[in-house]
Amino acid sequence: MMGDAQENLSEKDEPIDDTSLPYIPPYRSALPGRDRLHIQKSNVCSRAYFVVVMVFFHVYILNVIALLLYVHYNNGPGDIVNGDGASSAPISEGESPLPHPGPHSRNLDMDDYRQSFSLPRIEGIRVGHVQQVSLMPDRTHEMKTLSLKPLLFEIPGFLSEEECRVVVQLAQLKGLMESQTTAPGGGQEESNQPLLSLSTEEVFSLLDLDQDGLLQKQEIVSHSRSRDGTWLSPDNLRQILTGLEACPAGMLTLEEFRRVYDVSQRPGQHRSGTLQGQVKRRSKHTWLYQGPGSHHVLHTLRNRVTRLTRLPSPLVELSEPLQVIRYEHGGFSNAHHDSSPTHSETTCAHTRLAGNTSALSEITCRYLTVLFYLNSVEEGGETTFPVADNRTYEEEALVQDGVDLTDTQETCGRGNLRVNPTVGTALLWYNHLSDGRGWMGELDEYSLHGDCPVSRGVKWVANSWVNVDPDHQQQARYQRLVTHRKQAESGMEEQYHPLSHSDLHQDL
């Protein structure tokens, strides 16, 4: 055994041939602990760094989510958002807060409500440009640009002949009334009351409430808010108030009033850049409600207008009913503006529910007009735009060779642009410019238009107006107020009763 051990030792001591074996680096047995400790330190640092980075990343993500939620809930439907997305000031102190739409509102979708304070406009590109518009699920329509000043489009086949026939029959069933001349300025063409012919002394006496022979500002303001007369327009009132403020005593005698009033009544005066000729027309008209419960053709027509204009549905739904007009042989309307220029003394008629007690008078505020031809006229009856695409707009230029271009009976053929009535065709034009921030701006004076006399046959047309208040905060208050009333009515009654517009259109 001893010999075996020695023999083994002798075998181990024999030299080994290195060339036949792979190279193995020498094992540094003196530093095993140090090498192992170095590897462990590297792993610990990497893991700690990774944990710190991940924690920081998650905290950052949570902060971003929290910020987005904060912005979302602070820019909800209760805030008024203008076209560029900036929030405006809240309702002033002392004003009763208006309720927000409920989560289960049937009549005003929340997404539409949030977008209801932006007014998109269709691009005209150039005169003659044709673009495709999708108004119905199964077909598209061609929309042609007729002018850029005003921005005017023509859409053939907007209505079918059957739809036109139904609208005419509904208007006849409702009954048509005579349209007569009213005050100057656009937007107040129709009246069922006879024109009043009052002398200056009679006007003074009507305004002089206490009959003391002196006219004070409070008496003029009181008349303008009573809405019981059509013989003083906003321009008349503004001219009278200007003369009153120029008097040292702050009151007008009859003689002083006569000078001021006579100036305000002169034809052709330049007041606020608007044409001041008497708007004249010879036609019959009626109004057709288009809300829930109306004829399906009227309801479909309103939805089609919403798609065409690309405006939020609440604006279209809360606008005026559909006006249907019949022009018989010789029927016409002189050139006029559908909307009105705005001033600090005026308020829009459609938003008066929201309250504007400082306004002297009410005006019509119509952002755009969509006109439908319900039949093809045998001869005459064209829609004329006398100054369309003029280089400049001047009231003096409307009188040529002693003839007023706004008088369509005499000068219809001189208009820059005339459109022949064709059944089913629609015209769309903007009555106001953009304010550059996505909302309604000044009145587009180039939107002056009228109807040429019907030479043979009859002419049926319909007007669909979209009412917008130039003050987007006033428009917002109005929409919230109407929405709240609708919700209250739907909660109290099982059957839907539409919001009454009878005070605006008394023939409804």
Side-chain angles (χ1 to χ4, degrees):
M1 216 168 157
M2 209 53 179
D4 293 338
Q6 291 177 353
E7 188 176 351
N8 291 336
L9 287 175
S10 63
E11 291 177 0
K12 289 180 181 180
D13 292 338
E14 291 179 1
I16 300 175
D17 186 6
D18 297 344
T19 59
S20 62
L21 296 176
Y23 173 76
I24 300 177
Y27 180 68
R28 299 175 62 185
S29 58
L31 301 174
R34 184 177 299 177
D35 288 351
R36 205 174 298 118
L37 183 60
H38 175 73
I39 295 174
Q40 290 177 357
K41 280 186 177 181
S42 176
N43 290 338
V44 170
C45 291
S46 299
R47 291 174 183 173
Y49 178 79
F50 177 80
V51 171
V52 170
V53 170
M54 292 303 296
V55 170
F56 177 82
F57 178 79
H58 283 81
V59 171
Y60 175 80
I61 293 298
L62 291 175
N63 287 336
V64 170
I65 294 174
L67 180 60
L68 292 176
L69 291 175
Y70 175 82
V71 172
H72 172 75
Y73 284 107
N74 281 272
N75 287 328
D79 293 341
I80 301 168
V81 181
N82 57 22
D84 57 4
S87 298
S88 62
I91 298 176
S92 59
E93 185 177 355
E95 182 179 354
S96 59
L98 295 172
H100 301 169
H104 303 292
S105 174
R106 297 177 301 172
N107 306 309
L108 190 61
D109 186 81
M110 292 296 292
D111 292 334
D112 289 339
Y113 192 93
R114 293 189 183 99
Q115 299 297 326
S116 62
F117 300 104
S118 177
L119 301 177
R121 293 173 70 92
I122 304 173
E123 293 292 335
I125 311 299
R126 65 183 181 279
V127 175
H129 176 73
V130 177
Q131 52 188 305
Q132 303 292 326
V133 291
S134 178
L135 305 176
M136 304 169 63
D138 55 345
R139 60 170 297 188
T140 59
H141 291 75
E142 290 187 348
M143 181 169 62
K144 181 179 180 180
T145 303
L146 298 185
S147 76
L148 299 178
K149 296 191 305 183
L151 192 53
L152 169 64
F153 303 93
E154 180 184 43
I155 309 97
F158 188 90
L159 292 88
S160 66
E161 292 191 20
E162 175 65 18
E163 290 173 327
C164 292
R165 184 182 64 83
V166 170
V167 174
V168 169
Q169 290 177 341
L170 290 173
Q172 291 174 323
L173 183 64
K174 177 75 179 292
L176 286 81
M177 295 168 290
E178 293 287 345
S179 300
Q180 298 183 9
T181 307
T182 63
Q188 298 181 2
E189 312 92 319
E190 299 81 26
S191 174
N192 299 312
Q193 303 297 328
L195 292 177
L196 301 177
S197 179
L198 301 176
S199 66
T200 304
E201 291 76 9
E202 290 172 326
V203 173
F204 182 87
S205 179
L206 288 172
L207 292 175
D208 187 13
L209 299 179
D210 57 9
Q211 295 296 298
D212 63 350
L214 296 173
L215 199 58
Q216 305 174 19
K217 181 177 181 179
Q218 183 178 1
E219 293 173 318
I220 300 176
V221 173
S222 177
H223 159 77
S224 66
R225 293 177 183 172
S226 66
R227 303 181 67 234
D228 59 356
T230 60
W231 37 272
L232 281 184
S233 69
D235 290 311
N236 297 144
L237 291 169
R238 190 177 301 106
Q239 191 76 20
I240 294 171
L241 287 174
T242 301
L244 185 146
E245 293 172 354
C247 293
M251 295 180 290
L252 291 175
T253 64
L254 177 58
E255 291 301 320
E256 293 169 335
F257 176 77
R258 182 179 285 109
R259 289 194 298 269
V260 174
Y261 183 70
D262 289 345
V263 169
S264 71
Q265 293 297 305
R266 289 178 191 169
Q269 290 290 319
H270 300 282
R271 293 184 288 275
S272 308
T274 59
L275 186 66
Q276 292 300 318
Q278 286 283 347
V279 177
K280 298 179 180 179
R281 67 167 56 242
R282 185 186 303 159
S283 62
K284 296 181 179 181
H285 77 282
T286 190
W287 303 87
L288 298 179
Y289 172 70
Q290 294 182 272
S294 63
H295 194 282
H296 70 89
V297 170
L298 298 178
H299 190 70
T300 300
L301 179 59
R302 189 182 66 177
N303 293 339
R304 207 173 294 167
V305 168
T306 303
R307 296 190 190 98
L308 172 66
T309 61
R310 306 171 189 174
L311 293 172
S313 57
L315 288 177
V316 181
E317 293 171 5
L318 297 180
S319 295
E320 297 171 66
L322 183 72
Q323 185 194 41
V324 182
I325 306 176
R326 172 188 169 96
Y327 296 91
E328 299 179 355
H329 181 271
F332 70 98
S333 71
N334 277 358
H336 58 279
H337 296 99
D338 280 351
S339 192
S340 308
T342 57
H343 305 281
S344 58
E345 301 91 350
T346 60
T347 186
C348 294
H350 76 281
T351 56
R352 69 178 181 276
L353 288 173
N356 186 358
T357 58
S358 63
L360 292 175
S361 59
E362 295 177 356
I363 59 175
T364 49
C365 302
R366 295 162 174 167
Y367 178 58
L368 58 79
T369 299
V370 183
L371 182 146
F372 313 105
Y373 293 118
L374 303 178
N375 75 319
S376 298
V377 182
E378 296 181 40
E379 184 177 346
E382 301 93 340
T383 302
T384 177
F385 293 81
V387 294
D389 282 331
N390 265 10
R391 184 169 299 178
T392 58
Y393 177 87
E394 297 177 356
E395 288 189 351
E396 295 89 343
L398 292 173
V399 180
Q400 298 180 3
D401 301 327
V403 180
D404 190 350
L405 291 181
T406 63
D407 185 358
T408 58
Q409 287 185 293
E410 300 293 334
T411 63
C412 192
R414 296 191 184 185
N416 287 357
L417 175 64
R418 296 187 304 277
V419 182
N420 292 318
T422 304
V423 60
T425 297
L427 300 181
L428 182 155
W429 68 85
Y430 291 91
N431 298 308
H432 286 260
L433 303 171
S434 173
D435 66 349
R437 296 173 295 177
W439 198 247
M440 187 171 83
E442 298 179 353
L443 178 70
D444 188 349
E445 295 172 325
Y446 293 91
S447 64
L448 188 73
H449 66 282
D451 295 273
C452 299
V454 176
S455 303
R456 189 170 60 185
V458 297
K459 173 184 176 182
W460 286 91
V461 297
N463 288 312
S464 179
W465 289 296
V466 178
N467 299 119
V468 179
D469 196 308
D471 184 348
H472 67 278
Q473 296 190 33
Q474 185 81 348
Q475 181 72 34
R477 296 187 188 99
Y478 168 69
Q479 290 187 211
R480 292 202 300 268
L481 179 60
V482 173
T483 302
H484 175 64
R485 289 192 176 187
K486 286 185 177 182
Q487 291 175 354
E489 290 176 1
S490 63
M492 295 173 58
E493 304 177 8
E494 294 181 359
Q495 186 176 2
Y496 178 84
H497 294 280
L499 181 69
S500 175
H501 291 266
S502 58
D503 50 354
L504 248 179
H505 311 285
Q506 297 184 7
D507 52 339
L508 280 178

